[in-house]
Amino acid sequence: MKKLLLLLLFAGLLNTGSVFGWGREGHETIAKIAERNLTKKAKKRIETYLGGHSIVYFAKWMDEYRHTPEYKFTNNWHTVPVNAELRYEDSMLATGGNAIYGLEQAIENLKNYRSLTDSAVEVNLKYIIHLVGDMHCPAHIKYTTHDMKYDVLFEDKYHKPHKFPIHSVWDNEIITTTRIWSVSEWADELDRLPKAEKQAVAAGTPRDWLHDNAVVCEAQFEWAKPGQRLGQDFLNEALPLIERQIRNAGYRLARVLNELFG
């Protein structure tokens, strides 16, 4: 079964990265929104392959297993590059893969999920659940036209500044500083679009979604410059963007899963 999985996903690719997307709260809220928008048939079928668990249960699975010998080949799948036009091209696929590569392969594999072993279906599901989320995180869109490796001074709730890589700020610090709700409470607040608007958000392909993400998230470089002290004014701009991205990722994840299993 493990050999089948590796063949399905070109495990021969090497890995070099070590970044993490969102935090537990972000990934699980995305999955919770998606779960709320699954068809009954898709939800039942998916949970059968996930051992009775919901998709929320495995939202961070890829981060937890990416450094194990068996899944080390997925280490670079958590980020994805865009060119000067803020789009992804096949020529940008480097050794080790990226989020679009991993997501597209997993979707393609699951189009014929009935012909796969249960364990192969399970792991490809886990990839999709996580990678749709990662490609919506501002720090996980790799802009070739911007330096993304720098530190800032991020204020805690007592307004005391702490030095953080900007990547960590987008992955975790904004969320943990501003939102102390449960995953279900946050999903309740974000999952409020009318059906037609949900469908509009979820329309298109993963590459279309990435372009949309890249256009909207490019504002991060104006809001947070190297060495800058980031306080409440920054949070007032950054949090709505993060919540938009989490909500959209949830709707798009639901669409992928409904099309495969519904």
Side-chain angles (χ1 to χ4, degrees):
M1 290 185 290
K2 293 177 182 177
K3 289 182 179 178
L4 174 62
L5 165 64
L6 299 181
L7 288 172
L8 285 169
L9 291 167
F10 302 144
L13 291 173
L14 301 175
N15 69 85
T16 57
S18 60
V19 292
F20 292 83
W22 297 121
R24 179 192 64 79
E25 297 87 353
H27 273 295
E28 292 183 0
T29 303
I30 289 168
K32 190 66 178 179
I33 292 170
E35 181 187 44
R36 291 163 55 115
N37 289 276
L38 291 178
T39 66
K40 290 182 179 180
K41 183 184 294 185
K43 185 175 184 292
K44 183 177 180 180
R45 287 177 176 172
I46 289 167
E47 290 181 359
T48 297
Y49 285 106
L50 295 180
H53 292 293
S54 75
I55 60 175
V56 180
Y57 188 86
F58 290 107
K60 273 193 96 277
W61 181 89
M62 280 194 75
D63 284 339
E64 295 160 357
Y65 281 82
R66 63 188 293 179
H67 292 301
T68 62
E70 187 175 12
Y71 296 104
K72 199 172 183 180
F73 69 93
T74 68
N75 198 37
N76 277 2
W77 290 13
H78 300 257
T79 64
V80 59
V82 292
N83 60 21
E85 287 72 45
L86 306 184
R87 294 188 180 276
Y88 174 79
E89 299 175 333
D90 288 334
S91 61
M92 303 177 80
L93 178 62
T95 300
N98 56 52
I100 286 290
Y101 164 82
L103 178 59
E104 289 181 341
Q105 290 296 314
I107 291 172
E108 188 63 28
N109 290 339
L110 290 182
K111 287 179 180 178
N112 298 302
Y113 73 89
R114 290 181 178 86
S115 67
L116 304 181
T117 64
D118 288 356
S119 61
V121 175
E122 177 185 353
V123 79
N124 279 277
L125 267 168
K126 292 174 180 176
Y127 293 154
I128 291 173
I129 293 165
H130 189 86
L131 295 179
V132 171
D134 269 354
M135 67 177 285
H136 284 75
C137 181
H140 283 242
I141 304 165
K142 295 302 180 183
Y143 294 83
T144 56
T145 53
H146 293 282
D147 175 19
M148 300 190 68
K149 294 183 178 181
Y150 59 88
D151 295 330
V152 293
L153 296 174
F154 184 80
E155 292 183 2
D156 61 23
K157 63 181 180 180
Y158 303 108
H159 305 294
K160 181 178 180 180
H162 301 272
K163 186 177 181 180
F164 282 101
I166 189 60
H167 191 119
S168 297
V169 170
W170 287 105
D171 279 0
N172 295 296
E173 303 308 319
I174 297 169
I175 294 175
T176 57
T177 299
T178 59
R179 290 291 181 250
I180 58 174
W181 300 329
S182 69
V183 167
S184 294
E185 288 171 332
W186 204 8
D188 285 342
E189 291 300 323
L190 297 183
D191 182 17
R192 291 171 178 261
L193 290 188
K195 183 178 180 180
E197 291 185 38
K198 291 181 181 182
Q199 292 174 338
V201 167
T205 68
R207 297 190 187 207
D208 295 328
W209 304 338
L210 177 62
H211 176 63
D212 170 67
N213 296 339
V215 170
V216 173
C217 293
E218 194 174 22
Q220 65 181 291
F221 302 107
E222 290 298 319
W223 300 343
K225 299 181 184 298
Q228 187 173 351
R229 182 165 175 163
L230 306 179
Q232 190 61 52
D233 288 345
F234 168 74
L235 292 175
N236 291 345
E237 294 178 312
L239 183 61
L241 173 61
I242 279 186
E243 293 192 321
R244 177 217 193 246
Q245 293 301 103
I246 286 174
R247 180 202 65 200
N248 287 4
Y251 294 151
R252 290 163 176 171
L253 175 57
R255 182 206 151 181
V256 170
L257 296 178
N258 282 333
E259 288 185 349
L260 290 170
F261 293 94

